[in-house]
Amino acid sequence: MTATLITEIQQAQLRASFLSRADRGALIVRILNELKTHRCSLLGNASADHFVWMDRLIARVSSRMPEIAGMQSAEFNRVLSEFEKLMITLDGISNTVTRH
């Protein structure tokens, strides 16, 4: 799922100026869902202090979804770029954990 989302993020970066607010919002929802999935799968058995940062990120993005969806294309692309990096990192961690 993460690889598909990373591809979606990359495609959205190319088409950012053509995406509607609804399309942008839907992409942010998919990113949030993936973050929640990674939080549970990677950190589910860890103590609460190990995943506070991820809970905060999820909460902040959730509360700012309308603002993010309404950003200018260049700003939206910067946000997507950071989410892309995060998803790649989480996917790498996830693959490392499942191999051990």
Side-chain angles (χ1 to χ4, degrees):
M1 175 65 178
T2 302
T4 303
L5 181 58
I6 291 168
T7 301
E8 282 185 61
I9 291 169
Q10 292 167 341
Q11 291 172 349
Q13 287 174 307
L14 297 173
R15 302 183 344 258
S17 60
F18 303 107
L19 294 176
S20 68
R21 285 179 73 106
D23 291 337
R24 290 175 176 207
L27 179 57
I28 298 300
V29 167
R30 287 194 294 281
I31 291 169
L32 282 169
N33 288 338
E34 189 68 16
L35 287 173
K36 290 173 187 175
T37 298
H38 277 290
R39 183 211 175 273
C40 291
S41 65
L42 296 175
L43 304 168
N45 295 326
S47 62
D49 61 329
H50 284 82
F51 53 82
V52 169
W53 65 272
M54 196 164 215
D55 288 338
R56 285 183 181 158
L57 175 63
I58 290 167
R60 286 185 180 154
V61 172
S62 295
S63 68
R64 292 191 163 173
M65 277 183 46
E67 181 183 337
I68 294 169
M71 289 178 167
Q72 297 292 321
S73 295
E75 291 174 300
F76 187 67
N77 270 337
R78 282 192 292 276
V79 170
L80 290 181
S81 177
E82 294 305 316
F83 278 128
E84 178 186 9
K85 292 175 195 174
L86 178 59
M87 290 299 155
I88 290 168
T89 301
L90 290 173
D91 191 47
I93 293 169
S94 179
N95 289 334
T96 300
V97 170
T98 55
R99 279 187 255 146
H100 288 113

